[in-house]
Amino acid sequence: MRYVFLLLCGSFLLPKSSGIDNATVTYVIIDQRNPYGERLAGELETHLKEQYEELKLDEPQIWRSHDLINSPASWTISPLIVPVWNLLGGKTAQWVVFLQDFTAVVVHAFLNELTKYDHHKEVWIGHALHDAEASIIHHFAFHENPQSFKYPNAGSAVAISVPLLEKLKTRIEQGVKQLDFHIDAAHELALFIYNDGRGPMIEHNDKFCESAEDRGHCATYPKKFTSCREVTSSSSIFFAIKTCQQFHVDRVEAVKQTWYQYAEKKAFFSDAEDVDVPTISLNIPNTEHGHCAKTMGILRYLVKEFHKDPALNWLALVDDDTILSVKKVVELTTCHDNASLPMILGERYLFGMQGFNYPTGGAGIIINRAALKILTSKCVCPRDDSPDDMVLGSCAEDLGITLVHVSQMHQARPEDYAPGRLATKDAITFHKHWMIDPVEVYRNWFLEADIELMRGKLTPKTEF
């Protein structure tokens, strides 16, 4: 993937009195330790340096999050604050800018925007979002007035003044308690900075754009995910749907009306055999909360199918109320085709700052052949009703399986996200049928892509 940048021309020259240059702005790229993530971070770093050279500025100071700390929390910003502060030392820094590996930066426009703010004050800048209604992904924070609290669109970049960074550093060193669970780093950073009203709320700047659609005026924007190669078939992926007898009518029917018909290799796994669905029963009772025994039973059943079918490279493990695009799932896997690297793709959550990351189950968990083999031979449920996604994450950590965070996979409904958070329109999954029409959500977000897959001569027939 390539960035599209505006070329420097006379009307865009930086004001000589601005005081903004490479010595005053430091960039931190939130990177991932997997081949695709490293490629994205490398491209971003290269393009930043090329633009600085074009502007005749010295090479910028750029760090990557994994080089700053060796921690499962390196994708959240607050653990990076003290290491960044220590590296700044006595330098004449004014701003620290946090970028996602998919963020695009138009350097001359970005530096000009920073001149509009007083870097001596405790201030931070970005594309401000707010919840339209109390959201489960934000633990229903500010439920009385969700629009009163602003937080950044992480893909649009976040710029923090050095005085504010110092204030945050001091609070951390004083032992401010961190959250036990991290699920949305941008919202959690905003809560930490806001500090129950004692700190500043984010300053919105509309040139920190929410998508590339209007990038002609943007200083930053999140790039839309695109496939790493052309997709014409889903034959490399087995779609395994977890269900139970209680939902064989409503949820299963919604799946059948939507994405299921576009998948070539697929099956429903339940606690009861039902020839009308049909389902595969593994003789494992359903549990009220965690479903670890059922999930491990599915994995052990399917590792045998993978042995029979060498075309299978990926397992997509989803709930019966996961809404997805088959084509977009396949496109995602094209960027992670290192067959020898055990890998799980999903929406990453974090349990404990020094704990472990795990792929949240409702958004879908995509496991490659190498990881499937390891998990089925070495991963064990503490109890039958242990949380299956957390157990998989813990096993991945212990067994050296790479967990890749996919920001386009979502644990909640479209309504649970600020519209700007979804503005790139590259969602791959959503979750939950609660108070929505899942068929309508599918039509609005995914049908067009799956029809394109059908035109690629997909034959949605094979079942187990």
Side-chain angles (χ1 to χ4, degrees), residues 63 83-93 162:
W63 298 320
V84 168
W85 176 264
N86 291 337
L87 284 170
L88 289 176
K91 297 176 183 175
T92 58
V162 166

Side-chain angles (χ1 to χ4, degrees), residues 252-272:
V252 165
E253 187 58 31
V255 172
K256 285 187 164 185
Q257 287 183 41
T258 55
W259 62 266
Y260 184 80
Q261 60 191 299
Y262 298 99
E264 292 184 69
K265 301 170 183 178
K266 59 206 176 182
F268 288 95
F269 291 85
S270 182
D271 57 339

Side-chain angles (χ1 to χ4, degrees), residues 119-131:
H119 64 85
H120 297 98
K121 295 182 178 179
E122 295 176 4
V123 62
W124 63 308
I125 311 157
H127 185 97
L129 303 174
H130 63 78
D131 293 336

Side-chain angles (χ1 to χ4, degrees), residues 247-440:
F247 299 121
H248 284 188
V249 176
D250 51 355
R251 291 187 184 179
V252 165
E253 187 58 31
V255 172
K256 285 187 164 185
Q257 287 183 41
T258 55
W259 62 266
Y260 184 80
Q261 60 191 299
Y262 298 99
E264 292 184 69
K265 301 170 183 178
K266 59 206 176 182
F268 288 95
F269 291 85
S270 182
D271 57 339
E273 186 174 352
D274 186 337
V275 295
D276 293 328
V277 174
T279 63
I280 296 172
S281 173
L282 301 175
N283 297 315
I284 298 173
N286 195 53
T287 51
E288 278 296 315
H289 300 291
H291 304 287
C292 191
K294 176 188 280 189
T295 291
M296 293 308 301
I298 293 170
L299 299 190
R300 293 190 178 103
Y301 179 95
L302 287 175
V303 76
K304 300 172 185 176
E305 300 299 333
F306 273 63
H307 183 71
K308 297 175 189 175
D309 185 353
L312 283 171
N313 295 320
W314 295 91
L315 166 62
L317 180 68
V318 300
D319 290 349
D320 53 11
D321 57 350
T322 302
I323 310 166
L324 61 85
S325 163
V326 171
K327 183 183 181 187
K328 291 186 175 187
V329 170
V330 181
E331 288 179 331
L332 172 64
T333 64
T334 67
C335 296
H336 300 279
D337 56 4
N338 186 336
S340 64
L341 179 65
M343 191 179 305
I344 297 174
L345 315 180
E347 183 183 19
R348 172 188 52 206
Y349 281 10
L350 173 67
F351 176 67
M353 291 302 290
Q354 298 303 321
F356 59 90
N357 293 296
Y358 65 96
T360 178
I365 300 172
I366 305 174
I367 305 169
N368 75 353
R369 177 185 283 267
L372 179 63
K373 183 178 179 180
I374 295 172
L375 289 170
T376 52
S377 63
K378 297 183 178 180
C379 189
V380 178
C381 294
R383 297 191 325 231
D384 286 356
D385 64 349
S386 295
D388 53 346
D389 50 4
M390 296 185 75
V391 171
L392 289 176
S394 179
C395 285
E397 175 83 11
D398 293 340
L399 299 172
I401 297 172
T402 297
L403 176 60
V404 178
H405 172 60
V406 182
S407 61
Q408 296 84 8
M409 298 175 70
H410 302 98
Q411 170 68 9
R413 310 165 303 162
E415 287 82 350
D416 293 312
Y417 299 88
R421 171 67 176 78
L422 304 175
T424 48
K425 299 178 181 175
D426 54 0
I428 295 172
T429 68
F430 290 110
H431 179 229
K432 292 290 186 191
H433 293 178
W434 182 66
M435 294 187 67
I436 61 167
D437 179 353
V439 176
E440 187 65 23

Side-chain angles (χ1 to χ4, degrees), residues 85 122 162-172 198:
W85 176 264
E122 295 176 4
V162 166
L164 177 56
L165 194 78
E166 183 177 17
K167 172 68 71 65
L168 302 178
K169 185 259 314 183
T170 300
R171 288 182 58 211
I172 292 170
R198 292 184 288 272

Side-chain angles (χ1 to χ4, degrees), residues 443-456:
R443 288 173 180 164
N444 290 339
W445 286 91
F446 303 134
L447 177 60
E448 184 178 353
D450 284 351
I451 288 175
E452 290 175 358
L453 183 60
M454 178 67 82
R455 291 184 184 133

